[in-house]
Amino acid sequence: KAGVTQTPRYLIKTRGQQVTLSCSPISGHRSVSWYQQTPGQGLQFLFEYFSETQRNKGNFPGRFSGRQFSNSRSEMNVSTLELGDSALYLCASSLSPGADNQPQHFGDGTRLSIL
Amino acid sequence: GDSVTQMEGPVTLSEEAFLTINCTYTATGYPSLFWYVQYPGEGLQLLLKATKADDKGSNKGFEATYRKETTSFHLEKGSVQVSDSAVYFCALSEGAGSSASKIIFGSGTRLSIRP
């Protein structure tokens, strides 16, 4: 069974640009969550999607957005990139929301560097 | 809000030493608790979990017990190996059941094992 797939693995952008990251969940998983990992702030929750609807959102500015498609694949978009957006962006999938017996499975992440 | 506090790293041990990584949490509800591991250049992998008080999670020789009275979920292993070198994250899920699957992570503890 294939794991969570994130593309691309590495990305270099400049300030002011926008970027779109992609996440394909494990087959059959319908919930997708996104996290930002930085040395200073650690792992922070961005948002969660289920059935093409955003169910939960972390404390990030509106420049960060996402969406989910009918096949459960998800994308996140960051507009007007800032140097502080440099991070490892991790996607996680689970069968459905609620982690009691359905832990989230993480992809290897997309490392975004802003010049 | 909910939070997770884990011991600062880095932790350096010799092979076959006993490992303890402390983790305490603050939560208003009854969270599920997790330990995730991150190897260099990779995403997070679920190491073990516990969903209710007094549950013991175990995997690959690692163990952690959900202690509600002390709000702790310390990670232990009796004899570490060089291959255990990684960053370990203690985490909790906010809410129970299907209400939410947002995960709150601790800051991570880097573990290095000397041969």
Side-chain angles (χ1 to χ4, degrees):
Chain A
K1 197 175 191 181
V4 177
T5 303
Q6 292 187 245
T7 57
R9 285 297 309 276
Y10 303 94
L11 204 49
I12 299 175
K13 292 284 187 180
T14 57
R15 280 183 298 174
Q17 287 186 308
Q18 73 159 16
V19 67
T20 299
L21 312 181
S22 179
C23 171
S24 294
I26 290 173
S27 178
H29 284 193
R30 296 170 60 201
S31 175
V32 173
S33 298
W34 289 89
Y35 295 83
Q36 182 196 63
Q37 186 178 23
T38 60
Q41 300 297 317
L43 277 154
Q44 294 185 286
F45 173 80
L46 279 155
F47 28 62
E48 179 203 4
Y49 286 87
F50 177 70
S51 293
E52 302 176 63
T53 302
Q54 187 181 91
R55 295 188 74 254
N56 213 342
K57 191 177 191 308
N59 190 26
F60 279 81
R63 300 185 297 109
F64 291 81
S65 63
R67 60 178 175 167
Q68 186 180 35
F69 302 94
S70 58
N71 62 358
S72 296
R73 190 177 71 85
S74 177
E75 290 181 346
M76 68 163 281
N77 184 276
V78 188
S79 62
T80 320
L81 286 165
E82 301 176 359
L83 291 177
D85 297 333
S86 294
L88 180 67
Y89 290 87
L90 292 168
C91 169
S93 76
S94 62
L95 284 168
S96 62
D100 283 10
N101 290 302
Q102 300 167 13
Q104 296 186 12
H105 298 264
F106 284 79
D108 286 341
T110 293
R111 184 163 296 283
L112 174 63
S113 298
I114 310 302
L115 303 179
Chain B
D2 294 358
S3 65
V4 175
T5 303
Q6 62 181 103
M7 64 188 284
E8 294 281 332
V11 173
T12 303
L13 297 172
S14 297
E15 206 166 19
E16 299 183 3
F18 182 85
L19 168 71
T20 299
I21 300 178
N22 290 336
C23 171
T24 57
Y25 68 91
T26 302
T28 52
Y30 298 92
S32 293
L33 301 175
F34 308 90
W35 277 100
Y36 281 87
V37 59
Q38 187 174 35
Y39 297 101
E42 299 183 12
L44 298 172
Q45 297 177 26
L46 178 65
L47 181 59
L48 53 83
K49 66 178 175 73
T51 58
K52 60 183 187 297
D54 299 326
D55 264 3
K56 177 187 280 189
S58 61
N59 185 28
K60 299 181 181 179
F62 291 90
E63 293 183 341
T65 301
Y66 192 144
R67 301 285 188 203
K68 194 167 184 297
E69 64 276 12
T70 55
T71 62
S72 65
F73 193 55
H74 305 320
L75 182 68
E76 296 181 336
K77 185 174 185 182
S79 176
V80 293
Q81 306 300 312
V82 172
S83 58
D84 294 328
S85 298
V87 181
Y88 291 81
F89 293 90
C90 184
L92 64 81
S93 66
E94 281 191 336
S98 61
S99 62
S101 61
K102 175 180 174 180
I103 295 183
I104 306 295
F105 288 92
S107 57
T109 301
R110 183 175 299 278
L111 174 66
S112 295
I113 307 301
R114 294 187 298 252

PDB file of all heavy atoms in Angstrom, chain A residues 29-43:
ATOM      1  N   HIS A  29      -7.980   6.825   2.448  1.00  0.00           N
ATOM      2  CA  HIS A  29      -7.978   7.885   3.465  1.00  0.00           C
ATOM      3  C   HIS A  29      -8.665   9.120   2.907  1.00  0.00           C
ATOM      4  O   HIS A  29      -8.388   9.544   1.787  1.00  0.00           O
ATOM      5  CB  HIS A  29      -6.554   8.241   3.882  1.00  0.00           C
ATOM      6  CG  HIS A  29      -5.938   7.241   4.793  1.00  0.00           C
ATOM      7  ND1 HIS A  29      -4.774   7.503   5.497  1.00  0.00           N
ATOM      8  CD2 HIS A  29      -6.292   5.977   5.105  1.00  0.00           C
ATOM      9  CE1 HIS A  29      -4.456   6.436   6.223  1.00  0.00           C
ATOM     10  NE2 HIS A  29      -5.358   5.503   5.992  1.00  0.00           N
ATOM     11  N   ARG A  30      -9.541   9.701   3.703  1.00  0.00           N
ATOM     12  CA  ARG A  30     -10.304  10.843   3.223  1.00  0.00           C
ATOM     13  C   ARG A  30     -10.004  12.131   3.975  1.00  0.00           C
ATOM     14  O   ARG A  30     -10.478  13.200   3.598  1.00  0.00           O
ATOM     15  CB  ARG A  30     -11.794  10.513   3.332  1.00  0.00           C
ATOM     16  CG  ARG A  30     -12.213   9.345   2.424  1.00  0.00           C
ATOM     17  CD  ARG A  30     -13.618   8.880   2.718  1.00  0.00           C
ATOM     18  NE  ARG A  30     -14.589   9.952   2.518  1.00  0.00           N
ATOM     19  CZ  ARG A  30     -15.795   9.972   3.069  1.00  0.00           C
ATOM     20  NH1 ARG A  30     -16.168   9.004   3.874  1.00  0.00           N
ATOM     21  NH2 ARG A  30     -16.627  10.968   2.807  1.00  0.00           N
ATOM     22  N   SER A  31      -9.243  12.024   5.044  1.00  0.00           N
ATOM     23  CA  SER A  31      -8.888  13.217   5.807  1.00  0.00           C
ATOM     24  C   SER A  31      -7.427  13.565   5.546  1.00  0.00           C
ATOM     25  O   SER A  31      -6.553  12.691   5.597  1.00  0.00           O
ATOM     26  CB  SER A  31      -9.106  12.954   7.303  1.00  0.00           C
ATOM     27  OG  SER A  31      -8.672  14.057   8.065  1.00  0.00           O
ATOM     28  N   VAL A  32      -7.179  14.818   5.248  1.00  0.00           N
ATOM     29  CA  VAL A  32      -5.811  15.282   4.990  1.00  0.00           C
ATOM     30  C   VAL A  32      -5.538  16.510   5.854  1.00  0.00           C
ATOM     31  O   VAL A  32      -6.337  17.442   5.884  1.00  0.00           O
ATOM     32  CB  VAL A  32      -5.613  15.640   3.504  1.00  0.00           C
ATOM     33  CG1 VAL A  32      -4.251  16.282   3.296  1.00  0.00           C
ATOM     34  CG2 VAL A  32      -5.756  14.399   2.629  1.00  0.00           C
ATOM     35  N   SER A  33      -4.400  16.477   6.540  1.00  0.00           N
ATOM     36  CA  SER A  33      -3.986  17.622   7.363  1.00  0.00           C
ATOM     37  C   SER A  33      -2.629  18.109   6.895  1.00  0.00           C
ATOM     38  O   SER A  33      -1.822  17.331   6.377  1.00  0.00           O
ATOM     39  CB  SER A  33      -3.893  17.219   8.837  1.00  0.00           C
ATOM     40  OG  SER A  33      -5.146  16.800   9.330  1.00  0.00           O
ATOM     41  N   TRP A  34      -2.378  19.380   7.092  1.00  0.00           N
ATOM     42  CA  TRP A  34      -1.103  19.993   6.713  1.00  0.00           C
ATOM     43  C   TRP A  34      -0.443  20.599   7.956  1.00  0.00           C
ATOM     44  O   TRP A  34      -1.122  21.191   8.816  1.00  0.00           O
ATOM     45  CB  TRP A  34      -1.318  21.093   5.680  1.00  0.00           C
ATOM     46  CG  TRP A  34      -1.702  20.606   4.317  1.00  0.00           C
ATOM     47  CD1 TRP A  34      -2.953  20.369   3.846  1.00  0.00           C
ATOM     48  CD2 TRP A  34      -0.809  20.312   3.239  1.00  0.00           C
ATOM     49  NE1 TRP A  34      -2.911  19.940   2.543  1.00  0.00           N
ATOM     50  CE2 TRP A  34      -1.605  19.900   2.138  1.00  0.00           C
ATOM     51  CE3 TRP A  34       0.574  20.361   3.068  1.00  0.00           C
ATOM     52  CZ2 TRP A  34      -1.054  19.544   0.896  1.00  0.00           C
ATOM     53  CZ3 TRP A  34       1.113  20.006   1.851  1.00  0.00           C
ATOM     54  CH2 TRP A  34       0.303  19.600   0.782  1.00  0.00           C
ATOM     55  N   TYR A  35       0.894  20.473   8.013  1.00  0.00           N
ATOM     56  CA  TYR A  35       1.676  21.013   9.116  1.00  0.00           C
ATOM     57  C   TYR A  35       2.896  21.735   8.555  1.00  0.00           C
ATOM     58  O   TYR A  35       3.439  21.355   7.528  1.00  0.00           O
ATOM     59  CB  TYR A  35       2.160  19.899  10.051  1.00  0.00           C
ATOM     60  CG  TYR A  35       1.047  19.172  10.762  1.00  0.00           C
ATOM     61  CD1 TYR A  35       0.356  18.140  10.135  1.00  0.00           C
ATOM     62  CD2 TYR A  35       0.685  19.515  12.062  1.00  0.00           C
ATOM     63  CE1 TYR A  35      -0.673  17.474  10.787  1.00  0.00           C
ATOM     64  CE2 TYR A  35      -0.337  18.851  12.717  1.00  0.00           C
ATOM     65  CZ  TYR A  35      -1.010  17.838  12.077  1.00  0.00           C
ATOM     66  OH  TYR A  35      -2.029  17.172  12.718  1.00  0.00           O
ATOM     67  N   GLN A  36       3.325  22.759   9.276  1.00  0.00           N
ATOM     68  CA  GLN A  36       4.566  23.455   8.942  1.00  0.00           C
ATOM     69  C   GLN A  36       5.598  23.124  10.017  1.00  0.00           C
ATOM     70  O   GLN A  36       5.303  23.196  11.206  1.00  0.00           O
ATOM     71  CB  GLN A  36       4.325  24.968   8.904  1.00  0.00           C
ATOM     72  CG  GLN A  36       5.551  25.777   8.526  1.00  0.00           C
ATOM     73  CD  GLN A  36       5.418  27.246   8.870  1.00  0.00           C
ATOM     74  OE1 GLN A  36       5.292  27.615  10.039  1.00  0.00           O
ATOM     75  NE2 GLN A  36       5.433  28.102   7.856  1.00  0.00           N
ATOM     76  N   GLN A  37       6.797  22.763   9.596  1.00  0.00           N
ATOM     77  CA  GLN A  37       7.868  22.460  10.551  1.00  0.00           C
ATOM     78  C   GLN A  37       9.038  23.396  10.329  1.00  0.00           C
ATOM     79  O   GLN A  37       9.628  23.423   9.247  1.00  0.00           O
ATOM     80  CB  GLN A  37       8.322  21.004  10.426  1.00  0.00           C
ATOM     81  CG  GLN A  37       9.341  20.615  11.495  1.00  0.00           C
ATOM     82  CD  GLN A  37       9.764  19.158  11.417  1.00  0.00           C
ATOM     83  OE1 GLN A  37       9.657  18.514  10.379  1.00  0.00           O
ATOM     84  NE2 GLN A  37      10.227  18.616  12.534  1.00  0.00           N
ATOM     85  N   THR A  38       9.386  24.168  11.346  1.00  0.00           N
ATOM     86  CA  THR A  38      10.544  25.059  11.300  1.00  0.00           C
ATOM     87  C   THR A  38      11.382  24.854  12.552  1.00  0.00           C
ATOM     88  O   THR A  38      10.857  24.427  13.586  1.00  0.00           O
ATOM     89  CB  THR A  38      10.120  26.542  11.233  1.00  0.00           C
ATOM     90  OG1 THR A  38       9.333  26.836  12.404  1.00  0.00           O
ATOM     91  CG2 THR A  38       9.308  26.842   9.988  1.00  0.00           C
ATOM     92  N   PRO A  39      12.675  25.161  12.490  1.00  0.00           N
ATOM     93  CA  PRO A  39      13.529  24.992  13.684  1.00  0.00           C
ATOM     94  C   PRO A  39      13.052  25.851  14.852  1.00  0.00           C
ATOM     95  O   PRO A  39      13.118  25.425  15.995  1.00  0.00           O
ATOM     96  CB  PRO A  39      14.911  25.434  13.196  1.00  0.00           C
ATOM     97  CG  PRO A  39      14.872  25.231  11.724  1.00  0.00           C
ATOM     98  CD  PRO A  39      13.466  25.539  11.315  1.00  0.00           C
ATOM     99  N   GLY A  40      12.521  27.025  14.559  1.00  0.00           N
ATOM    100  CA  GLY A  40      12.137  27.931  15.636  1.00  0.00           C
ATOM    101  C   GLY A  40      10.783  27.633  16.241  1.00  0.00           C
ATOM    102  O   GLY A  40      10.608  27.711  17.461  1.00  0.00           O
ATOM    103  N   GLN A  41       9.817  27.292  15.424  1.00  0.00           N
ATOM    104  CA  GLN A  41       8.444  27.101  15.889  1.00  0.00           C
ATOM    105  C   GLN A  41       8.035  25.640  16.016  1.00  0.00           C
ATOM    106  O   GLN A  41       6.957  25.334  16.527  1.00  0.00           O
ATOM    107  CB  GLN A  41       7.464  27.800  14.936  1.00  0.00           C
ATOM    108  CG  GLN A  41       7.683  29.304  14.820  1.00  0.00           C
ATOM    109  CD  GLN A  41       7.467  30.004  16.137  1.00  0.00           C
ATOM    110  OE1 GLN A  41       6.523  29.712  16.868  1.00  0.00           O
ATOM    111  NE2 GLN A  41       8.367  30.913  16.479  1.00  0.00           N
ATOM    112  N   GLY A  42       8.883  24.730  15.541  1.00  0.00           N
ATOM    113  CA  GLY A  42       8.537  23.312  15.623  1.00  0.00           C
ATOM    114  C   GLY A  42       7.443  22.958  14.633  1.00  0.00           C
ATOM    115  O   GLY A  42       7.332  23.568  13.563  1.00  0.00           O
ATOM    116  N   LEU A  43       6.633  22.000  15.006  1.00  0.00           N
ATOM    117  CA  LEU A  43       5.552  21.527  14.140  1.00  0.00           C
ATOM    118  C   LEU A  43       4.263  22.257  14.490  1.00  0.00           C
ATOM    119  O   LEU A  43       3.784  22.184  15.610  1.00  0.00           O
ATOM    120  CB  LEU A  43       5.329  20.029  14.346  1.00  0.00           C
ATOM    121  CG  LEU A  43       6.241  19.105  13.572  1.00  0.00           C
ATOM    122  CD1 LEU A  43       6.374  17.775  14.274  1.00  0.00           C
ATOM    123  CD2 LEU A  43       5.708  18.908  12.162  1.00  0.00           C
TER     124      LEU A  43
END
